[in-house]
Amino acid sequence: MVNDISSTAVIGLAVDLASSLTTKDRFDRLLDNVRKIIACDAVVLLSYHSDILKPIALQGLSRDTLGRRFNIEDHPRFSIICQSLTPVRFPADSELPDPYDGLLVGTEDNLPVHACMGLPLYFNEQLLGLLTLDSLTPHVFDDISEKTLQLISAIAAATLNNALLIEQLEKQAAHSQQVVEELTIEALERDGGEIIGESHAIEHLREDIDIAAPSEFTVLVEGETGVGKELVARTLHQKSRRHNGPMVYVNCAALPENLIESELFGHTKGAFTGADKKRVGKFLLADGGTLFLDEIGELPLAAQSKMLRALQSGEIQAVGQDSIEMVDVRIIAATNRDLKHEVEAGRFRPDLYHRLSVYPIKVPKLKDRLGDIQLLSGYFIEQTSRKLGITQLKISQEALSLLEAYHWPGNVRELEHIVSRASLKALARQRGKKIISISPIDCDIDHSQTPLEKAPEIITEQVTNGDLREATNSFQKQLITSLIDEEGGNLAAVSRRLNVDRANLSRLTKRLGISIVKSIR
């Protein structure tokens, strides 16, 4: 063990990071170099967000860890590191629960006695994140000098600062009192969070958001039910110049037809029966901010003409009021309908459609987001574990393979619900265990709706001991082998039919011992 980092290692680390072109590349190279300097089985870089730690790069842990969001108060080790100004080394026999229990590649149960160390990453006296290191060899970190650890911390903090930028740590001002009064906290936080995923489809979506957000253009968010259209709308608002202003939510499908005008533009006292006091409409509440019109395709034709006037001129007129008011509102609309088809069918005004679709953004279906199932599962698992009070909740590789093979007609919302139900079932089966593991038996997926033309049955007589993992492996091997034969060894074609990431499928075939021979047709 080298107790002090050599000057050659420092120069090599700095040069390697300087030559990295992308943020992901810098993070990966940072972890590579840290492992060269300090021998460890797992290293994780996490960014700090008030009370949450978000893994942004890792080695040695299961990939679904990237989707997790660790609440600091739920994890004593993280809490201690975040409160420290210097590196923290935990005793090998520490009884504090480890947040990575069950997540280390190659281990299924609790982490055995092991070495654990955390480096708080400060830049300009602000905590940006943590660098954690774990080794299955106890006491392996004990003799590393403080100077070495402080130097690694400084380099890692500088790398993290350059990538995240300081503005990511700044919190924005609260919404105005009138808007908070009108809107519930539930409405403000509905579908809140971040867009999880690394697939090409999600990267393209992020690019569209980054292009449209700073503009004042009206945006039409299109996509199937459950894909996260409202999350896209809120992200657009947060990235816009209006992020300090209100974002007012309107569910057009839930507006009573006789009250639509009042809800949108307000009314005066006595304007109609039941109008016992003046009411401010959604347009006025959103003045200086964003008005999110969800399910805009459900708006009746009569209301569409009134909406058009407000969009064209920024003029609104409350019911029962003679004067006209001007509002400064950016419109983001969302729909699960094909509005072009609705226009052709005469159910939607063409002039309103063209006014709304200045910048259309299509939210991809979950089945088109290759490779994102693991990250989303990790995100929902961490949320569910908090709700259920589970110390550590994980998902088996067999269960993940099952989820990746499904075609998700209900999209991300369906995945969230299945993970929630699976967590409950797993907890009921394993009550009293420290680590609760979700298995295929917990995932209630209707395979009659899978897109495969046919699927071989599980040959149960091959499984003499009733072992679930053996049965799952047998099914996966038979199914994949059958499809490889049908596609002439074209793994890309097989991955499309299974709706799984090609790289994940390649790893799975190696694990199952499936040989691939391409045929010429």
Side-chain angles (χ1 to χ4, degrees):
M1 170 65 64
V2 178
N3 294 343
D4 291 305
I5 186 171
S6 68
S7 58
T8 302
V10 176
I11 295 172
L13 176 55
V15 170
D16 207 20
L17 292 175
S19 63
S20 304
L21 299 178
T22 66
T23 296
K24 183 180 184 305
D25 191 35
R26 286 192 182 94
F27 289 160
D28 289 341
R29 293 196 183 193
L30 170 66
L31 300 191
D32 286 339
N33 280 280
V34 168
R35 295 185 80 175
K36 289 177 183 176
I37 297 167
I38 302 177
C40 59
D41 291 292
V43 58
V44 185
L45 180 65
L46 306 103
S47 58
Y48 172 77
H49 306 269
S50 184
D51 56 352
I52 297 290
L53 286 171
K54 171 185 172 182
I56 54 178
L58 57 83
Q59 292 182 10
L61 298 186
S62 59
R63 187 170 178 267
D64 68 278
T65 308
L66 284 172
R68 295 177 180 247
R69 301 297 178 261
F70 295 103
N71 192 288
I72 296 172
E73 66 179 17
D74 294 339
H75 299 284
R77 296 194 188 215
F78 282 152
S79 180
I80 291 171
I81 302 171
C82 287
Q83 294 173 23
S84 175
L85 296 176
T86 57
V88 177
R89 281 174 269 213
F90 294 94
D93 58 352
S94 173
E95 295 183 358
L96 294 176
D98 195 298
Y100 303 142
D101 264 350
L103 301 179
L104 191 70
V105 173
T107 63
E108 291 292 332
D109 301 314
N110 294 6
L111 279 169
V113 174
H114 67 291
C116 176
M117 178 169 62
L119 282 58
L121 307 181
Y122 285 90
F123 194 91
N124 288 339
E125 300 183 350
Q126 287 194 16
L127 180 65
L128 298 185
L130 307 181
L131 186 70
T132 64
L133 299 94
D134 290 89
S135 174
L136 294 177
T137 305
H139 310 294
V140 72
F141 302 141
D142 290 358
D143 296 329
I144 302 175
S145 71
E146 286 294 312
K147 178 182 177 182
T148 295
L149 296 180
Q150 289 171 2
L151 190 53
I152 292 175
S153 297
I155 295 173
T159 303
L160 184 58
N161 179 73
N162 291 339
L164 298 179
L165 302 178
I166 292 181
E167 64 260 25
Q168 290 187 0
L169 303 175
E170 297 175 350
K171 297 298 179 181
Q172 304 298 338
H175 294 299
S176 69
Q177 285 300 313
Q178 187 179 23
V179 174
V180 173
E181 232 172 70
E182 176 69 21
L183 303 176
T184 64
I185 297 300
E186 186 274 333
L188 283 171
E189 296 180 347
R190 185 191 293 109
D191 286 349
E194 60 180 305
I195 297 174
I196 303 289
E198 297 178 347
S199 64
H200 176 74
I202 284 300
E203 289 303 319
H204 181 68
L205 175 64
R206 288 195 180 101
E207 289 173 4
D208 270 343
I209 290 173
D210 288 341
I211 291 170
S215 74
E216 291 294 301
F217 291 165
T218 300
V219 176
L220 179 63
V221 184
E222 302 172 293
E224 292 184 355
T225 298
V227 294
K229 296 187 293 295
E230 186 171 341
L231 176 57
V232 171
R234 293 184 180 280
T235 306
L236 282 164
H237 173 73
Q238 291 162 7
K239 289 177 171 285
S240 74
R241 298 187 184 98
R242 297 171 177 261
H243 59 266
N244 281 330
M247 178 174 178
V248 178
Y249 173 85
V250 179
N251 184 354
C252 297
L255 292 177
E257 191 164 351
N258 61 327
L259 294 178
I260 288 177
E261 193 173 357
S262 172
E263 287 287 327
L264 294 176
F265 309 119
H267 63 249
T268 61
K269 182 178 180 180
F272 50 83
T273 303
D276 54 355
K277 62 180 180 180
K278 180 180 179 180
R279 178 181 177 84
V280 176
K282 303 296 188 184
F283 267 87
L284 195 56
L285 282 172
D287 191 26
T290 302
L291 182 63
F292 176 44
L293 302 172
D294 199 8
E295 303 298 347
I296 188 69
E298 309 296 327
L299 204 62
L301 279 169
Q304 292 177 25
S305 60
K306 296 181 175 66
M307 177 78 72
L308 182 63
R309 177 186 175 187
L311 294 183
Q312 287 176 330
S313 62
E315 297 178 352
I316 62 169
Q317 187 173 17
V319 179
Q321 180 175 295
D322 294 330
S323 61
I324 292 174
E325 296 181 81
M326 297 294 296
V327 291
D328 174 23
V329 173
R330 185 195 188 175
I331 300 294
I332 298 176
T335 181
N336 60 6
R337 293 191 177 194
D338 183 345
L339 287 192
K340 283 186 178 180
H341 177 72
E342 296 296 300
V343 169
E344 293 168 358
R347 292 187 291 266
F348 204 85
R349 291 180 61 108
D351 45 4
L352 179 57
Y353 168 68
H354 292 301
R355 179 66 64 173
L356 291 172
S357 59
V358 176
Y359 198 100
I361 291 180
K362 185 76 172 179
V363 186
K365 305 171 188 176
L366 181 55
K367 68 178 183 179
D368 295 332
R369 297 172 54 179
L370 297 180
D372 286 348
I373 297 293
Q374 285 192 25
L375 302 189
L376 288 164
S377 297
Y379 178 80
F380 292 135
I381 285 169
E382 191 66 26
Q383 284 190 326
T384 304
S385 66
R386 292 201 67 214
K387 293 176 183 176
L388 298 179
I390 301 173
T391 303
Q392 184 63 293
L393 179 64
K394 60 175 289 188
I395 184 168
S396 70
Q397 185 57 51
E398 292 77 13
L400 277 174
S401 298
L402 196 68
L403 297 180
E404 289 181 328
Y406 185 51
H407 83 301
W408 299 107
N411 292 293
V412 178
R413 188 175 298 152
E414 184 182 12
L415 173 60
E416 180 182 9
H417 293 166
I418 284 178
V419 168
S420 298
R421 291 194 297 271
S423 302
L424 273 175
K425 292 179 180 179
L427 177 61
R429 287 193 303 104
Q430 305 166 65
R431 197 171 296 279
K433 287 191 174 182
K434 185 177 179 181
I435 298 179
I436 305 299
S437 180
I438 297 173
S439 297
I441 196 173
D442 303 310
C443 303
D444 54 344
I445 291 177
D446 181 5
H447 286 286
S448 65
Q449 297 187 33
T450 57
L452 300 174
E453 296 84 350
K454 59 181 180 179
E457 296 180 354
I458 298 176
I459 306 177
T460 54
E461 55 265 28
Q462 290 181 353
V463 187
T464 57
N465 60 359
D467 182 79
L468 179 61
R469 175 174 295 181
E470 187 176 344
T472 303
N473 288 343
S474 175
F475 170 74
Q476 289 177 329
K477 187 171 183 178
Q478 192 172 2
L479 175 60
I480 294 171
T481 301
S482 175
L483 293 179
I484 286 174
D485 290 341
E486 290 182 19
E487 297 295 342
N490 187 335
L491 202 60
V494 174
S495 69
R496 285 194 294 271
R497 288 182 63 179
L498 288 172
N499 287 325
V500 298
D501 180 68
R502 189 186 185 286
N504 291 340
L505 180 60
S506 179
R507 285 191 289 269
L508 183 58
T509 57
K510 290 179 182 177
R511 182 173 69 80
L512 296 174
I514 300 172
S515 59
I516 301 173
V517 179
K518 291 189 176 182
S519 61
I520 301 174
R521 297 183 176 182

